[in-house]
Amino acid sequence: MQLGLDILLTGLSIFVIGSHAVVGKGHFKSRQMPAGANLVSAAVLTTLAVFLLLLWSGEAPLAAQLVALALEAASLWLFFRTIAASRDGALHFAFDTENPVSLVTAGPYRHVRHPFYTSYLIFWTGLAIGTWSPWAIPVLVLMTVLYTVAARGEEAKFARTGMSEDYAAYRARTGMFWPKLG
């Protein structure tokens, strides 16, 4: 059973990262790939390699691997819902120096300001759980910090646009990565 789940989790993980790369490349409208986005790509590939090494070098409880599969599937669902909601938004890659040209508030954006990053964090959390290794925790924290820095930079760019007031109101009613409670 362990071998089958390791294979399934590995395959799903590679599929999710591949989907992010292929679909994202066609979705985002940056003129060129920003250096920071290249850093994120390198971090993603390194993190995937570390997590797969941890997955295959240890044993995880059945429940942990099932939770990991469920979280990865949820992450993929959220990613594609976010793609659909922002199709006409002309969004840029992470760390692009260009200011945003639109404010997307439909679909998952109704609840969180950065649903792409939320989907990525759900994915990494699932894979970290699936490894069942304490070594996954600092790697997950590092990815969380990277996405937080990217998100804060994107939010700062809205202040330099004519959408600054709309964005401030949007920010007041939504969470950054997780929906606001109450």
Side-chain angles (χ1 to χ4, degrees), residues 1 15 71 172:
M1 182 74 132
F15 178 78
L71 287 174

Side-chain angles (χ1 to χ4, degrees), residues 2 8 38 57 61 63 67 70 114 130 132 141 148 160 167 171 174 182:
Q2 179 81 37
L8 186 58
N38 286 325
S57 63
V67 166
H114 302 282
W132 205 247
V141 168
T148 301
R160 300 190 298 251
Y167 193 81
R171 186 176 179 175
T174 58

Side-chain angles (χ1 to χ4, degrees), residues 82-134:
T82 304
I83 287 285
S86 62
R87 184 163 280 124
D88 298 325
L91 303 180
H92 299 124
F93 281 112
F95 297 105
D96 194 315
T97 57
E98 297 287 323
N99 286 333
V101 296
S102 68
L103 175 57
V104 180
T105 59
Y109 289 92
R110 284 185 313 235
H111 308 288
V112 294
R113 297 187 303 275
H114 302 282
F116 280 114
Y117 296 139
T118 301
S119 74
Y120 305 154
L121 289 169
I122 292 169
F123 168 79
W124 292 123
T125 300
L127 192 50
I129 291 168
T131 70
W132 205 247
S133 169

Side-chain angles (χ1 to χ4, degrees), residues 11-91:
L12 181 58
S13 297
I14 292 169
F15 178 78
V16 169
I17 294 298
S19 295
H20 291 172
V22 171
V23 175
K25 185 164 176 42
H27 183 74
F28 295 105
K29 306 299 181 207
S30 296
R31 292 181 206 179
Q32 64 184 27
M33 188 71 143
N38 286 325
L39 173 68
V40 171
S41 296
V44 164
L45 293 175
T46 303
T47 300
L48 180 62
V50 168
F51 278 176
L52 292 179
L53 178 67
L54 292 172
L55 177 70
W56 284 92
S57 63
E59 288 202 21
L62 174 65
Q65 289 200 308
L66 293 176
V67 166
L69 288 168
L71 287 174
E72 286 195 15
S75 163
L76 196 58
W77 174 84
L78 178 58
F79 175 78
F80 281 108
R81 293 273 301 133
T82 304
I83 287 285
S86 62
R87 184 163 280 124
D88 298 325
L91 303 180

